[in-house]
Amino acid sequence: MSNNTGRGLQANVLGTFDTVVMAVAGSAPAYSIAAITAVLVGSVGLASPAALLYCAIPMLGIALAFSRLSRIDVNAGAGYSWVGRTLHPFLGFLSGWALVISTTLFMVAGSLPAGSMTLTLFDEELARNTALSTLVGACWFLVMLLVVLGGARLTVRAQLLITGVELAILALFAVLALLHSTNARAFDWSWLGFGHFDGATGFASGALIAAFYYWGWDVTSNLSEETRDSRRTTGLAGLIGVGIVFLLFEVFTIAVNIVLSSEQIHAGDANVLAVLGEEVWPGWGGKLLIVAVMLSTVATLETTLIQVTRSLFAMGRDRTMPAALGRVHRRWNTPWVAVAVVGVVAPAMFVASNALGTVGDILADAISAIGLQIAVYYGLTGLAAVVAYRKVLLTSVGTFVLGGLWPLFGALFMFWIFVESLGELSGSAIAIGLGGLAAGLIPMLWYWRRGSDYYRPAKLDATRTVEADYVPAGGGGDRGPLVHEGLPTDF
């Protein structure tokens, strides 16, 4: 199955603290709050905090599924490998493909705000120019591409700096928002209930957008082959990451509901956070939060690049995509061919996106389309965990709840919001979301007919763990691959 002539990714580069930071950065708290709050409020109004709360519960079930699956199969492809070895290889490939397409779409949805936020720091008029925002965003993208190409160690050092500053700014403004006295409306506990949703379909459309808020924490699983004690670390970091971003999302969404009027939220369009910052700290507030959003967007571009390149690497290694994608650079220990391919495809999409209209229009369609694909691969991975652990689910109450019931609930919830939201989304969002998934049938059937071993898998079972069939860089000899040795973490 391996085409690396025994060479893999650099093992033991990341510890627990590093991977927690990557999980938080992957969900991009400042970017998500800034770019998506207007979309969420437009969909469910004052029920925004409730949508985030009720989506967090099944999302934790999916995080538990990732955690438990990473214990028995350490693989950079994550859901692509797990679903293929439990449910069916075709479903596994579609899980991997959904991640590849959603992350590629995010290159546009993420790079445009990175460009517009950077321009806003100098001139708000310039930020309204979609073409110029695209150009600056593309420059940020290329910088992050080079960082990711430079290896996991460089990547995590950059991430620690960027995300550290972002979280410090967010913490400051969370306090300022709570102390703010001039409010548009008083806090109401009904914002956390079901009363403000427009029926089941309205709830589903809000939950689909909320799923996009959380998306990205699972980058820890794509980094599993480069993480110390990865069978424990990657899943734990994902769970901690979901918990941290949930608290940030709730605090700021409630603050937006309290401090800003509906007109201000609508006017904020692609950056509600800057409007909130200006309201609670006139003059400096807006600028500082623009910096936080810019850093958050750049940080999540990096984690998204890791997800797509590691997924393509795993597919190339398994020969379910061109084998060249599985090649690893001898010096940097990164999948350089996969990085190069993304570096060509994404800028082409930046240019094409200009035809879709303003930054706000592009974001709305891309977020909805990505939400559909997230629901597919998260849902399938949740089911995969239940199937992989089926023989041990009745050994204890904890195993039954955490390994079976909760991941199953998460999976069914994801499939439900996928089906329910189809009736609510625009034609272009559905075309992008479902068309992107359907395009995966071509490489899937092509490489299936060519006889890739991936389509004849050994079934994944929680009663035994899976060892890698290649030696990570830095490992080898009689001691075996270091990625499975369970070295101490730095947490």
Side-chain angles (χ1 to χ4, degrees):
M1 191 181 291
S2 172
N3 67 303
N4 297 337
T5 61
R7 187 173 184 81
L9 303 170
Q10 182 70 52
N12 304 319
V13 175
L14 310 178
T16 308
F17 181 72
D18 303 326
T19 46
V20 168
V21 171
M22 297 300 277
V24 173
S27 292
Y31 164 77
S32 299
I33 298 162
I36 316 170
T37 300
V39 179
L40 185 62
V41 171
S43 177
V44 297
L46 292 174
S48 305
L52 288 166
L53 171 63
Y54 297 121
C55 193
I57 298 167
M59 189 61 75
L60 277 170
I62 302 300
L64 283 166
F66 272 78
S67 175
R68 296 177 76 80
L69 286 165
S70 64
R71 293 181 195 175
I72 54 176
D73 182 18
V74 175
N75 193 294
Y80 155 79
S81 171
W82 303 331
V83 174
R85 301 186 72 163
T86 50
L87 305 182
H88 194 279
F90 284 177
L91 292 176
F93 182 87
L94 286 178
S95 291
W97 183 259
L99 188 148
V100 168
I101 293 299
S102 57
T103 47
T104 305
L105 282 173
F106 183 78
M107 302 303 173
V108 177
S111 295
L112 280 169
S116 63
M117 291 301 123
T118 305
L119 292 170
T120 302
L121 290 173
F122 303 99
D123 187 339
E124 289 193 15
E125 280 301 314
L126 289 176
R128 295 191 181 95
N129 186 323
T130 305
L132 191 57
S133 293
T134 304
L135 180 63
V136 176
C139 292
W140 273 120
F141 168 80
L142 291 172
V143 169
M144 288 299 102
L145 194 79
L146 292 173
V147 170
V148 170
L149 184 63
R153 200 179 303 278
L154 175 62
T155 300
V156 79
R157 283 175 180 168
Q159 197 62 262
L160 287 168
L161 175 64
I162 296 170
T163 303
V165 175
E166 173 201 351
L167 293 181
I169 295 173
L170 286 180
L172 170 65
F173 277 88
V175 173
L176 290 176
L178 290 173
L179 297 176
H180 188 63
S181 56
T182 309
N183 298 326
R185 57 181 72 84
F187 172 76
D188 193 326
W189 284 104
S190 69
W191 297 347
L192 297 171
F194 289 95
H196 291 284
F197 290 109
D198 184 18
T201 306
F203 173 73
S205 62
L208 187 75
I209 298 166
F212 182 84
Y213 270 81
Y214 292 107
W215 175 57
W217 54 265
D218 49 306
V219 66
T220 59
S221 296
N222 297 105
L223 284 165
S224 60
E225 294 179 25
E226 297 153 271
T227 304
R228 291 194 292 276
D229 193 15
S230 58
R231 294 189 188 279
R232 184 192 72 90
T233 303
T234 55
L236 176 63
L239 286 163
I240 295 172
V242 171
I244 291 171
V245 296
F246 164 70
L247 291 174
L248 285 170
F249 291 153
E250 281 296 338
V251 166
F252 276 93
T253 309
I254 290 171
V256 166
N257 272 5
I258 292 173
V259 176
L260 301 182
S261 65
S262 300
E263 292 75 21
Q264 285 176 302
I265 296 169
H266 180 71
D269 194 17
N271 191 5
V272 169
L273 207 51
V275 179
L276 178 69
E278 193 62 37
E279 187 70 25
V280 299
W281 188 2
W284 277 97
K287 291 288 186 185
L288 273 175
L289 279 175
I290 287 170
V291 170
V293 175
M294 183 189 75
L295 291 173
S296 179
T297 313
V298 170
T300 199
L301 272 179
E302 184 185 84
T303 58
T304 307
L305 278 164
I306 288 170
Q307 285 198 283
V308 69
T309 55
R310 283 357 179 229
S311 297
L312 289 172
F313 162 74
M315 290 172 156
R317 183 172 64 193
D318 291 345
R319 287 182 161 84
T320 57
M321 290 281 276
L325 293 169
R327 290 182 188 158
V328 174
H329 195 280
R330 290 199 166 274
R331 179 180 175 187
W332 299 318
N333 301 115
T334 49
W336 68 274
V337 177
V339 173
V341 168
V342 173
V344 171
V345 172
M349 290 184 65
F350 298 158
V351 175
S353 70
N354 275 280
L356 293 176
T358 67
V359 173
D361 294 336
I362 295 166
L363 277 177
D365 283 339
I367 288 164
S368 298
I370 291 169
L372 289 174
Q373 289 152 0
I374 295 166
V376 168
Y377 90 84
Y378 275 176
L380 288 172
T381 306
L383 284 182
V386 178
V387 173
Y389 277 83
R390 66 192 182 281
K391 294 179 182 177
V392 297
L393 287 181
L394 299 180
T395 55
S396 72
V397 174
T399 301
F400 179 73
V401 173
L402 300 179
L405 202 58
W406 207 341
L408 179 62
F409 170 65
L412 295 177
F413 184 85
M414 292 296 159
F415 293 139
W416 178 74
I417 61 174
F418 176 88
V419 173
E420 281 287 326
S421 60
L422 286 176
E424 292 286 298
L425 297 179
S426 68
S428 57
I430 292 173
I432 294 168
L434 298 186
L437 284 174
L441 296 175
I442 299 169
M444 182 181 80
L445 295 174
W446 173 263
Y447 286 97
W448 170 65
R449 288 182 61 86
R450 295 191 66 178
S452 165
D453 286 346
Y454 174 83
Y455 294 106
R456 296 187 295 275
K459 288 294 182 183
L460 202 57
D461 191 324
T463 57
R464 63 183 187 275
T465 59
V466 177
E467 296 299 320
D469 66 341
Y470 63 95
V471 179
D478 296 330
R479 302 178 66 199
L482 291 174
V483 75
H484 297 305
E485 284 190 358
L487 298 178
T489 70
D490 63 351
F491 193 70

